[in-house]
Amino acid sequence: AGAALLYCFPGSPTLYYGDEAGMEGFEDPFNRRTYPWGGEDGELLDWFRALGRLRREHPALRRGEIWYAAARGRLLAFYREAEGERLLCACNAGERPAALVLEGRDEPAVLLGGGRLARRGEGWSLTLEPHSCAVLAFRPQTPCAPEAATLS
């Protein structure tokens, strides 16, 4: 979930050499090992590739404005908007599921990550499992003011 924040926040994401391959190491000499060619964590590599594709394909993640929707406890959610697209990036770093209530009639499209979407009155509910994230796409007319998403 932390890497998703790096790729969804304004600015350029920066990775320490080998993080995308699952390299470990804390102090010298272990933090300077060579790249593990052929021994990379394939699932982790796929995750970072998906993050790179997401950022490359969505201008809102590269140049978009940011509006915070929720920042309570271990849950952080924010909108990014540019060039006619609006994305919601939500991360739960907590040990328990966390839910957001989102206004808008149109069902958002899940671009990355997980979470459970459920219809809730005039809007939607997004539940994130512990240590997970989701990136959702909305139609531009969907409300995006900070009050448009609340913890449930």
Side-chain angles (χ1 to χ4, degrees):
L5 284 177
L6 284 176
Y7 279 77
C8 291
F9 250 50
S12 298
T14 303
L15 299 177
Y16 187 72
Y17 175 80
D19 281 353
E20 75 284 1
M23 285 181 65
E24 296 178 5
F26 177 65
E27 295 178 350
D28 282 333
F30 304 110
N31 62 348
R32 302 288 184 233
R33 288 185 178 167
T34 58
Y35 190 84
W37 295 109
E40 301 95 340
D41 179 326
E43 188 176 329
L44 195 55
L45 273 175
D46 289 343
W47 174 246
F48 277 98
R49 286 182 184 125
L51 287 169
R53 255 189 321 276
L54 182 74
R55 190 168 172 94
R56 186 174 51 253
E57 293 171 1
H58 295 278
L61 296 179
R62 296 189 313 275
R63 299 182 282 285
E65 297 293 325
I66 186 169
W67 289 275
Y68 290 91
R72 293 194 188 132
R74 309 285 287 169
L75 176 69
L76 178 64
F78 53 91
Y79 289 94
R80 298 290 310 272
E81 183 176 357
E83 299 183 25
E85 72 175 356
R86 179 173 295 140
L87 305 180
L88 175 75
C89 307
C91 290
N92 177 14
E95 300 295 327
R96 295 186 199 131
L100 287 170
V101 176
L102 310 169
E103 290 182 7
R105 292 180 178 264
D106 297 326
E107 182 174 4
V110 178
L111 300 179
L112 187 74
R116 292 184 309 275
L117 276 173
R119 194 77 162 120
R120 183 174 175 166
E122 293 292 314
W124 294 88
S125 172
L126 170 66
T127 303
L128 294 171
E129 293 301 318
H131 307 287
S132 71
C133 66
V135 179
L136 309 177
F138 291 84
R139 290 186 179 197
Q141 69 270 20
T142 302
C144 70
E147 62 272 8
T150 58
L151 287 171
S152 65

